[in-house]
Amino acid sequence: MLHSMTGYGKSVLQLPTKKVTIEIRSLNSKNIDINTRFPPYYKEKELEVRKNIATNLVRGKVDFSIFVEMTADETNTTVNEGVVREYMHQLKNIASPTTDETLELLHMAIKMPDALKTEREELDEAEWKEIQVGIDSAIQDIIQYRIDEAKLLEEDFKERIKNIKIALEAAKKIDGERISHVKERLLKALSDLKVEVDENRFEQELIYYLEKLDINEEKVRLSNHLDYFLEQLATPDSNGKKLGFIVQEIGREINTMGSKANFAPLQKLVIQMKDELEKIKEQILNIL
C-alpha cells in the first residue's frame, strides 16, 4: 500500500488547567527531517517524541508542534512586590507625585525588569500520559491522510502506465512499416546518386544498418518494466525509492527507442510516452 509523504494530523486535549493542541505536518524529503516546537516544561520528552515520529513516518520533512493555552484561573506568573515597591520608591525620589501620578508610577514600575516572576512548571507525568495519547492520535491522523492521498496518486500512476502501454503497442504495430520506410529511403538516396553498387555488399551494409536501428530489445524491456512497476504498486509496502528506480529504467528504454526511431510516427509515440513518464516522475518523489 502506497503512502504519500504529504500529510497533516491534529489532536486537541482539554486538561483540567489547560488546553493542549498537537499538530503535525509533513512534506516529501529523501530522509526523515523533524522540526519540533515544545513548551519548556515538555522539552525533556522531545527525544522520545522524535523517536516515535521517526518510527511511524519513516521519511519526510516533518513539523511537530505542541501549543498550550491555560484555561484555569491560576497562573504561574505573579507580581514581584518587593521589586515593584523599590522601583516606585526610586521613582518617587525623582519626582513628588500626586495620587494620580502614583498610579502612573505603578504602571511604569510594573514594566521594569524582574517586576514579574514566573515559577517554572514541572512536568506532570500523569498529564504527559494524556498528551502522549494525543500525540499518537495526531500521528495516526497524518498516516491516514498519507494513505488517502496515496490512493489518488496510485490511480494516476496506473492511468499513466496504461497510456504508455497503449503507445508501446502502437509502436510495435508500426515498427515493420518503419523498417520498410528506412529501406525505401536508403534505396532512393542511392538511386539519386546514380552510381553502380555491389548488390551483395549493399545488402550486407543495409542489414548492419537496420540492426543498429532495431528496437525489439527495448520494446521487451520496456514492457517488462511497466509490468514490474504495476506489481510493486500492488505490494503491501510503500516503496517509493524502488518505484523511482523502475521509473528511471522505463525512461532509459523510452529514450533509446527515441534515439533509434528514425521515423516520425514512432518519434511521436515516444514523445507521448515521455510526457506520461514525466508526470509520473513529478509525483513519485512524494511517495514514501
Side-chain angles (χ1 to χ4, degrees):
M1 179 185 294
L2 293 186
H3 286 219
S4 168
M5 277 189 281
T6 301
Y8 175 78
K10 181 178 180 180
S11 179
V12 179
L13 303 175
Q14 184 60 62
L15 302 179
T17 61
K18 64 188 70 170
K19 176 183 176 183
V20 179
T21 303
I22 300 159
E23 290 186 345
I24 182 167
R25 296 178 172 85
S26 72
L27 297 171
N28 62 312
S29 178
K30 289 183 178 180
N31 301 300
I32 187 73
D33 179 13
I34 305 172
N35 297 312
T36 60
R37 290 178 61 188
F38 281 81
Y41 39 88
Y42 296 148
K43 270 289 185 181
E44 64 186 83
K45 297 295 185 179
E46 181 176 357
L47 184 59
E48 175 185 319
V49 172
R50 281 178 172 273
K51 288 180 179 178
N52 189 9
I53 293 171
T55 299
N56 284 281
L57 300 189
V58 185
R59 278 204 299 147
K61 181 176 174 59
V62 181
D63 290 316
F64 175 86
S65 303
I66 297 180
F67 302 100
V68 176
E69 178 185 347
M70 302 304 297
T71 56
D73 294 335
E74 299 178 0
T75 176
N76 293 326
T77 302
T78 57
V79 176
N80 198 337
E81 293 185 24
V83 173
V84 173
R85 289 182 188 279
E86 179 59 27
Y87 280 139
M88 291 188 68
H89 176 70
Q90 293 180 33
L91 292 169
K92 284 179 183 178
N93 290 337
I94 297 174
S96 299
T98 62
T99 302
D100 290 339
E101 289 174 333
T102 300
L103 291 175
E104 184 62 28
L105 291 179
L106 180 60
H107 291 157
M108 294 170 62
I110 206 72
K111 296 177 182 178
M112 296 291 193
D114 301 321
L116 300 176
K117 59 181 179 180
T118 302
E119 296 179 5
R120 188 180 187 278
E121 184 177 345
E122 296 296 328
L123 178 67
D124 184 332
E125 289 293 342
E127 178 183 280
W128 178 251
K129 285 183 179 179
E130 293 187 59
I131 293 174
Q132 275 185 313
V133 173
I135 292 172
D136 290 338
S137 175
I139 289 174
Q140 290 306 311
D141 276 356
I142 194 172
I143 289 173
Q144 188 58 50
Y145 190 111
R146 285 176 153 198
I147 291 172
D148 293 342
E149 181 168 297
K151 286 179 181 177
L152 298 176
L153 292 178
E154 183 175 351
E155 291 305 313
D156 185 67
F157 290 152
K158 288 179 179 178
E159 184 65 25
R160 304 291 177 197
I161 294 295
K162 177 184 174 183
N163 292 339
I164 294 174
K165 283 192 167 193
I166 291 172
L168 176 59
E169 289 303 314
K172 290 178 180 178
K173 290 179 180 178
I174 67 171
D175 195 25
E177 181 185 344
R178 176 182 72 102
I179 296 300
S180 298
H181 175 78
V182 171
K183 284 181 179 179
E184 289 174 7
R185 193 173 62 190
L186 290 174
L187 288 169
K188 184 178 183 303
L190 190 61
S191 65
D192 289 343
L193 290 175
K194 297 179 180 179
V195 294
E196 293 184 4
V197 295
D198 184 307
E199 291 294 334
N200 291 331
R201 178 63 185 274
F202 175 73
E203 287 295 332
Q204 290 174 1
E205 293 294 334
L206 182 60
I207 291 171
Y208 174 75
Y209 181 71
L210 293 177
E211 282 180 350
K212 295 185 71 173
L213 297 181
D214 183 71
I215 60 170
N216 283 321
E217 288 187 14
E218 285 75 15
K219 291 186 293 187
V220 171
R221 285 197 295 263
L222 177 56
S223 181
N224 290 338
H225 292 328
L226 294 173
D227 290 339
Y228 189 43
F229 185 92
L230 294 175
E231 286 175 16
Q232 292 306 306
L233 282 183
T235 59
D237 300 322
S238 183
N239 41 14
K241 287 185 177 180
K242 190 171 186 179
L243 291 172
F245 295 144
I246 300 171
V247 166
Q248 289 179 12
E249 293 302 314
I250 291 173
R252 186 172 289 113
E253 301 305 331
I254 292 174
N255 287 335
T256 305
M257 285 178 63
S259 66
K260 291 182 175 182
N262 213 358
F263 186 49
L266 180 58
Q267 288 170 334
K268 288 181 180 178
L269 292 171
V270 168
I271 290 171
Q272 291 175 21
M273 289 189 277
K274 283 185 176 182
D275 183 51
E276 297 293 339
L277 188 65
E278 283 303 312
K279 291 170 182 175
I280 293 175
K281 284 181 178 178
E282 290 174 8
Q283 298 295 342
I284 207 72
L285 295 173
N286 203 32
I287 296 298
L288 178 63

